[in-house]
Amino acid sequence: MTNTNILAAWLASVVLASAAAILTRYCEIPASSIGFWRVFGAGVVFLPFALKVMKDSPGQRLFTVGTLLPRVFLGLHFTSWCWAIQNTSLANAALFIALQPLITPFIAVTLLRERTNKWENWGIVVALAGTIWLGAFQATISIADLPGSMVALLSAFMCATYLVLCRKYRAGHNVMVFVSGVFLVAALVQGVLGFALAGGIELGDTRSMLALVGLILFPTVGGHGIVMFLLKYAKSQLLAFSIPAQFIIVAIVAVPLFGEIPPLWFYPGAAAVLLGVVLGIARFGKG
């Protein structure tokens, strides 16, 4: 793939994945149930394609020991991310999940020996400055958001680890087989969490079910599916920069949909985060 094609696919994944925070707000069921239906539904969508590939290529396996860890981290990420969205403003939850690009390089250099370049480093610095600006105001003015923010930060670590591990173990696997296995194991993890934390898995009312269908198709099958495909061609850091990009989209869309209008001090920090994303992808190169 050319760099132009990689960036176009990356941009599509950003737009599709941004729908996750919005649609999650319309689900009036526990976070673990939302996460379960997202990945279970996506796994079911990809499974027929995976089975066909496995039939034609017997060496391809749906479940392997080496790919178990990223699937567990994906399950933990989805549950914690949904909980954060339900317990703070969308802009606030998106802000702290946007710290993922600052976490990813440390995991990637440890597991993959994958280093960032000069532009990515500047992107990290600028995005971090914007995040610190926003976090300082939110920590002092809206302390009630702190639990949701901390869980979103934990979710960022889970997602960063998931991405790096997927890049490590994606090689040699057909994308359909790999994605199906990832989603189905993640569903098992969240099913266990659902019974442990909420006493079971819920579907909710009609609005919740429609939102779940949207969550399955757009951010999960679409957004995460494209990310899984790009793992073969792009560095983990480029994919991690999609999270701050989603942060800007989510914050803007939350205004007309939920009336969550960010205060004035939000905008300079948001601009710095977006500039960090632009710098981070300016000279990304192939992985």
Side-chain angles (χ1 to χ4, degrees), residues 19-29 34 37 85-86 202-216 218 257-258:
I22 305 299
L23 290 168
T24 297
R25 270 295 179 88
Y26 289 108
C27 294
E28 298 179 354
I29 56 177
I34 299 171
W37 289 116
I85 292 170
Q86 292 178 330
E202 299 180 22
L203 262 176
D205 57 15
T206 301
R207 189 177 79 164
S208 294
M209 287 188 281
L210 289 173
L212 287 171
V213 171
L215 281 167
I216 292 167
F218 298 114
L257 289 182
F258 304 108

Side-chain angles (χ1 to χ4, degrees), residues 61-72 165 169 173 178 185:
R61 289 185 294 169
L62 196 61
F63 304 111
T64 63
V65 175
T67 58
L68 182 62
L69 268 180
R71 297 161 181 178
V72 171
L165 287 172
Y169 293 112
H173 290 81
F178 188 78
V185 173

Side-chain angles (χ1 to χ4, degrees), residues 227-240:
V227 166
M228 289 292 176
F229 175 75
L230 287 177
L231 282 168
K232 183 178 180 180
Y233 303 99
K235 292 169 62 178
S236 307
Q237 187 64 4
L238 172 66
L239 301 178

Side-chain angles (χ1 to χ4, degrees), residues 10-277:
W10 175 83
L11 182 60
S13 73
V14 169
V15 174
L16 288 167
S18 298
I22 305 299
L23 290 168
T24 297
R25 270 295 179 88
Y26 289 108
C27 294
E28 298 179 354
I29 56 177
S32 52
S33 294
I34 299 171
F36 170 81
W37 289 116
R38 275 191 69 178
V39 286
F40 179 74
V44 169
V45 169
F46 282 114
L47 187 58
F49 303 99
L51 293 176
K52 185 179 185 306
V53 170
M54 293 166 63
K55 181 180 178 181
D56 297 337
S57 305
Q60 293 286 332
R61 289 185 294 169
L62 196 61
F63 304 111
T64 63
V65 175
T67 58
L68 182 62
L69 268 180
R71 297 161 181 178
V72 171
F73 275 97
L74 176 62
L76 295 173
H77 159 59
F78 272 153
T79 295
S80 55
W81 173 227
C82 292
W83 191 92
I85 292 170
Q86 292 178 330
N87 288 273
T88 186
S89 70
L90 288 179
N92 200 46
L95 163 69
F96 282 87
I97 198 74
L99 286 168
Q100 184 181 319
L102 312 179
I103 300 169
T104 301
F106 301 101
I107 301 173
V109 74
T110 302
L111 298 180
L112 303 177
R113 299 293 185 264
E114 185 177 88
R115 298 186 180 277
T116 54
N117 61 36
K118 175 179 67 177
W119 289 89
E120 290 167 339
N121 289 335
W122 275 112
I124 291 171
V125 170
V126 175
L128 177 60
T131 302
I132 290 174
W133 168 275
L134 289 164
F137 277 100
Q138 290 178 341
T140 55
I141 296 175
S142 53
I143 194 67
D145 287 324
L146 191 59
S149 300
M150 292 301 98
V151 172
L153 179 58
L154 175 63
S155 189
F157 172 79
M158 299 295 180
C159 190
T161 306
Y162 148 71
L163 276 178
V164 174
L165 287 172
C166 279
R167 180 155 169 79
K168 180 179 177 67
Y169 293 112
R170 162 77 169 82
H173 290 81
N174 177 276
V175 65
M176 292 296 179
V177 177
F178 188 78
V179 168
S180 297
V182 165
F183 287 147
L184 291 175
V185 173
L188 176 62
V189 171
Q190 287 175 112
V192 171
L193 289 174
F195 278 92
L197 300 176
I201 301 297
E202 299 180 22
L203 262 176
D205 57 15
T206 301
R207 189 177 79 164
S208 294
M209 287 188 281
L210 289 173
L212 287 171
V213 171
L215 281 167
I216 292 167
L217 295 179
F218 298 114
T220 316
V221 171
H224 277 264
I226 293 173
V227 166
M228 289 292 176
F229 175 75
L230 287 177
L231 282 168
K232 183 178 180 180
Y233 303 99
K235 292 169 62 178
S236 307
Q237 187 64 4
L238 172 66
L239 301 178
F241 270 112
S242 67
I243 308 300
Q246 292 173 43
F247 155 55
I248 302 299
I249 296 173
V250 169
I252 293 172
V253 174
V255 175
L257 289 182
F258 304 108
E260 295 182 4
I261 303 175
L264 290 177
W265 48 258
F266 173 87
Y267 299 98
V273 171
L274 184 57
L275 177 60
V277 175

